[in-house]
Amino acid sequence: LLLVLILPGLPSRAANSKPGSDASSRGSIASFRIEASANDLDKAKGWRFLLTAALRDIMEYSVAGFVALPREVSGELSTATSFELEAATIVERRLVMDAVARLPDGMIFRYRLRTGVKLLPGPAGTACVFWEDPEIRVAPGWPLPEFWAPIGGFAGRNFDGFLRLTRLDLSESSGLIVEGSLSKGSDRASTAIV
């Protein structure tokens, strides 16, 4: 999400803090509010870059509940050489991503992943973006219906440094909303996978 503040051309609406506001009185140099529609998330290069990083985190740090996947890729998805985002949307307060996993033998596995997102407090006033209850859409074949299989993900990003996130929401009507501030007292921001 730090790139959201730096990369130009991300379709969104942002607001800066005004002197004397709560955010500026807590040692921040600017507060922001970013709104991105589901279409923005799907089409804008900056958002696609961030969502691809999230997709990679979810897939690489899930507990591999891949037993429900098709036999051809069962167990092999954990050896994927890359994960790529094809499309993204928001359905019922969850991010839904159509994705591709490239396997070592050159095989391509297309799948759909959905996940919630939650902002959790981290150590020393930091915030962690946690990917909540990720699931993969499984189609076992006729006569069984398709279903969502949990993959037991424990992926998240801890934001440290001058970026302070205070709100992160997803909804079909308003898209993605991110609020926070840039703080004084740190010359850099870092992220860590938690």
Side-chain angles (χ1 to χ4, degrees):
L1 291 173
L2 175 61
L3 295 174
V4 171
L5 303 173
I6 297 172
L7 289 177
L10 289 176
S12 62
R13 293 173 295 278
N16 291 326
S17 68
K18 296 178 176 49
S21 71
D22 286 343
S24 62
S25 65
R26 289 190 307 260
S28 64
I29 55 175
S31 65
F32 59 88
R33 176 184 170 97
I34 299 169
E35 297 178 19
S37 69
N39 189 51
D40 293 339
L41 296 177
D42 187 44
K43 303 294 183 201
K45 289 180 182 178
W47 285 114
R48 290 183 64 82
F49 175 80
L50 293 172
L51 292 177
T52 298
L55 175 70
R56 188 174 42 252
D57 286 352
I58 291 167
M59 296 307 296
E60 290 178 357
Y61 297 97
S62 67
V63 180
F66 298 125
V67 292
L69 293 178
R71 274 186 230 141
E72 306 85 59
V73 295
S74 181
E76 291 186 35
L77 198 53
S78 62
T79 64
T81 57
S82 69
F83 298 97
E84 298 171 20
L85 181 71
E86 289 192 326
T89 191
I90 299 170
V91 178
E92 298 176 3
R93 302 187 56 83
R94 294 176 61 92
L95 185 60
V96 178
M97 297 181 270
D98 291 326
V100 171
R102 298 191 183 281
L103 303 176
D105 60 1
M107 195 170 136
I108 293 176
F109 176 65
R110 284 187 161 72
Y111 62 99
R112 177 169 280 179
L113 180 134
R114 75 176 177 185
T115 184
V117 62
K118 184 184 281 189
L119 190 62
L120 298 174
T126 62
C128 177
V129 176
F130 179 71
W131 303 107
E132 187 174 39
D133 301 326
E135 301 171 301
I136 290 182
R137 187 76 174 173
V138 177
W142 187 86
L144 300 173
E146 292 185 1
F147 63 94
W148 289 100
I151 60 172
F154 295 101
R157 286 276 176 170
N158 189 41
F159 288 84
D160 191 10
F162 70 87
L163 178 64
R164 302 285 184 219
L165 298 179
T166 57
R167 180 179 177 200
L168 183 62
D169 285 323
L170 285 173
S171 77
E172 285 182 77
S173 59
S174 58
L176 171 71
I177 298 174
V178 182
E179 293 179 357
S181 63
L182 301 175
S183 300
K184 299 176 186 175
S186 180
D187 58 351
R188 65 181 187 86
S190 62
T191 63
I193 297 170
V194 295

